[in-house]
Amino acid sequence: MKHRHGRPVVDSKAGPAAGTASAGNLGLNSERVRRRMVERVRAQGVCNPRVLSALAVVPRHTFVDGALASRAYDDCSLPIGHGQTISQPYMVARSAELALRAIADPRSARVLEIGTGCGYAAAVFAQLFGSVYSIERVRALHERARDNLRPLRLANLRLVFGDGAVGLPAEAPFDAIIAAAAGEEIPVAWGEQLAPRGVVVAPVGAEKQALAVVARDARGKWVVQEAIEEVRFVPLLGGVVG
Ligand code: SAH
């Protein structure tokens, strides 16, 4: 298909035969374990086939420390240092699905992720959207994500070091802004940087958080606010570290 031309291929492993050596500490065939993770995410209600395929190709075990690699395909968040965690696969999938629902043509969509962390979710989003920007406020994590993502050669993904609470005005407007950190409310700047019909998918709240979807109509007016489900994310903090 013509429009598939140039799509990034993320899993560098040739197949099961190459699996054992390149899976390193995983000590298992990573493709098989990953497929089981995808099945669990599907069982939790994520049914968009493109999202499930994206989860199936991103090697999550390469985004966590060697010591945690054997747990990389459990559907949970795991520590990545600096008090932060890699997002739970289900949450990455659910957020992507909610953004996709609102986007007419994902292949030409511009998406901003707030909170790169180790880069896992960014790699998943880069499978789904035309261009993806991901911003991280902790320099060490931004650099680590850059190292983690380098072998995947995702030409449509840009990483930015900075405070995502103010969005990324230089690259706006975005068709979707997807946050991996929860503020007590959605920053006004995110709304201002949305394209018409764009959406923000973000956890909102302090102790009790809900995954929220906020949309803009064709004239730029804020129209929909939905609280999807209760969630638990790290806090959205201001300023940068490092
Ligand atoms: N999507 C990431 C999840 C990382 S956890 C992954 O797949 O690994 C959320 C991240 O948001 C943390 O790394 C945290 O440092 C970052 N964060 C919190 N507030 C932020 C802000 N204002 N701007 C940018 N990043 C922020």
Side-chain angles (χ1 to χ4, degrees):
M1 261 194 290
K2 231 195 333 204
H3 58 271
R4 275 183 176 268
H5 180 74
R7 285 298 295 162
V9 174
V10 295
D11 203 342
S12 56
K13 288 191 297 300
T20 341
S22 50
N25 286 345
L26 192 61
L28 291 160
N29 181 315
S30 68
E31 277 183 37
R32 233 181 49 218
V33 212
R34 194 151 66 233
R35 234 176 289 134
R36 248 181 276 142
M37 176 193 85
V38 174
E39 283 315 313
R40 281 196 301 274
V41 170
R42 191 206 302 272
Q44 289 176 84
V46 174
C47 35
N48 185 307
R50 292 197 62 218
V51 172
L52 296 169
S53 312
L55 282 195
V57 295
V58 178
R60 192 169 190 256
H61 64 280
T62 65
F63 289 83
V64 297
D65 278 347
L68 292 172
S70 65
R71 294 175 56 202
Y73 295 105
D74 294 352
D75 188 27
C76 62
S77 55
L78 294 168
I80 53 171
H82 305 273
Q84 307 303 324
T85 54
I86 181 173
S87 299
Q88 188 191 349
Y90 166 74
M91 284 320 314
V92 174
R94 191 80 177 105
S95 305
E97 182 173 66
L98 290 166
L100 275 173
R101 196 179 68 175
I103 292 175
D105 178 14
R107 293 191 193 281
S108 62
R110 297 168 59 77
V111 171
L112 172 65
E113 182 196 21
I114 313 290
T116 316
C118 65
Y120 171 71
V124 173
F125 298 153
Q127 306 303 309
L128 295 166
F129 303 107
S131 33
V132 176
Y133 295 81
S134 182
I135 184 163
E136 171 57 55
R137 67 182 284 277
V138 178
R139 187 185 285 279
L141 286 174
H142 162 74
E143 285 172 359
R144 183 168 161 189
R146 209 180 45 203
D147 293 345
N148 288 341
L149 288 160
R150 192 170 292 119
L152 305 186
R153 298 166 168 277
L154 300 166
N156 61 334
L157 172 61
R158 295 277 156 82
L159 300 185
V160 180
F161 169 59
D163 179 5
V166 298
L168 187 58
E171 301 295 345
F174 299 100
D175 299 292
I177 297 180
I178 304 176
E184 293 198 21
E185 44 198 48
I186 293 180
V188 174
W190 296 359
E192 290 168 353
Q193 291 170 34
L194 278 189
R197 298 198 175 87
V199 284
V200 173
V201 180
V204 182
E207 285 299 288
K208 221 175 154 77
Q209 301 170 4
L211 188 64
V213 177
V214 177
R216 254 182 135 170
D217 71 8
R219 300 204 316 277
K221 208 171 137 248
W222 288 70
V223 277
V224 193
Q225 177 141 26
E226 282 176 82
I228 303 290
E229 60 201 53
E230 210 178 310
V231 290
R232 185 137 201 90
F233 280 82
V234 298
L236 180 76
L237 303 171
V240 294
V241 178

